[in-house]
Amino acid sequence: MNAKRYLRLLGVQLKASGLLALQYRADFLAEGLTSLAWTFTALAPLFVVFNARPSIEGWTFQESLLVVGWFTLLQGVLEGAISPSLTGMVEHIRKGTLDFVLLKPADAQFLVSTQRFLPWRAVNVLSGVGLFVYAFVSLGRWPSLPGIFASLVLLATSMLILYSMWILVVSAAFFVVKVDNLTYLFTSIFDAARWPSAVFRGSLAWVFTFIIPLALMTTFPALALLGRLPWTWLVGAVVGAVAFAAVARWVWLMSIRHYTSASS
């Protein structure tokens, strides 16, 4: 795979999405404000819970804000960069028009994963960064350089896992007529990532750590910023993310073999 070529293709897709969004500036502004409003909505449960107690399972309000920050940031990545393109792929499969993608001289998974972006979701990313700053100002200290580096590594692994999970969900469209319920279920489950993983007990704790690794996406990066993440967990997160991506790639390739175009 020619890295420069694919970076150039990604730049073209980003530019096209940006220009399309700017054609309707009022909508662009309205959607950005809506994204900002949803960020504050995500904080509401946190205020309610911590209004009655100083900490939950060893997490203070300020520390929990870091988890919400990562949740907000990743939600922006999911809804702005991952979901729009892959939802469009489902429409291609339904209409039998995926041929136009498969026949192009580039990797089909890359093309369907970058066909559309929603630039206004960058507001979520900025909101997440704002929550990080506010949390550490409230804590009266700043994260260490190793903690920042570890959190950036975990950001990459989190996005890779989030993308891989979405690939697995939409690959079901090759076998069933509708996957809307699956996508709604996935986004509903992802909402649980706004809470530190320590609040979950029993089977939920195991599921949200190993099956649907929400803990890795939001709690681990928050622990890294706080300087409380063991290095073995960081290594395990990287290995797990790579393995998850490999499984998603294999499922994608197997699913394509079951695709029947409109001309078949």
Side-chain angles (χ1 to χ4, degrees), residues 108-120:
Q109 184 177 339
F110 176 86
L111 292 176
V112 298
S113 301
T114 59
Q115 61 181 319
R116 187 186 178 202
F117 297 95
L118 301 180
W120 53 79

Side-chain angles (χ1 to χ4, degrees), residues 40-184:
F40 288 106
T41 302
L43 293 173
L46 213 62
F47 283 109
V48 172
V49 171
F50 282 96
N51 185 50
R53 62 196 74 184
S55 65
I56 298 177
E57 297 297 332
W59 287 79
T60 65
F61 174 75
Q62 291 80 7
E63 292 170 346
S64 297
L65 274 181
L66 295 175
V67 178
V68 177
W70 285 109
F71 167 77
T72 303
L73 190 154
L74 289 174
Q75 190 177 47
V77 173
L78 173 63
E79 297 180 356
I82 298 176
S83 180
S85 292
L86 296 182
T87 302
M89 185 195 79
V90 174
E91 290 300 315
H92 277 306
I93 297 172
R94 286 178 182 172
K95 298 176 181 178
T97 56
L98 192 62
D99 306 62
F100 300 112
V101 177
L102 298 177
L103 293 175
K104 291 180 179 178
D107 183 77
Q109 184 177 339
F110 176 86
L111 292 176
V112 298
S113 301
T114 59
Q115 61 181 319
R116 187 186 178 202
F117 297 95
L118 301 180
W120 53 79
R121 291 299 180 184
V123 172
N124 292 66
V125 178
L126 297 177
S127 299
V129 174
L131 289 174
F132 297 152
V133 173
Y134 177 79
F136 277 107
V137 168
S138 300
L139 288 170
R141 64 184 180 89
W142 295 101
S144 64
L145 288 178
I148 294 175
F149 173 76
S151 67
L152 291 176
V153 172
L154 288 168
L155 172 61
T157 60
S158 299
M159 291 191 296
L160 183 59
I161 288 178
L162 198 59
Y163 168 74
S164 300
M165 292 178 67
W166 203 246
I167 282 286
L168 292 174
V169 170
V170 298
S171 291
F174 287 97
F175 305 94
V176 297
V177 177
K178 295 188 67 176
V179 295
D180 301 79
N181 292 335
L182 285 177
T183 57
Y184 294 146

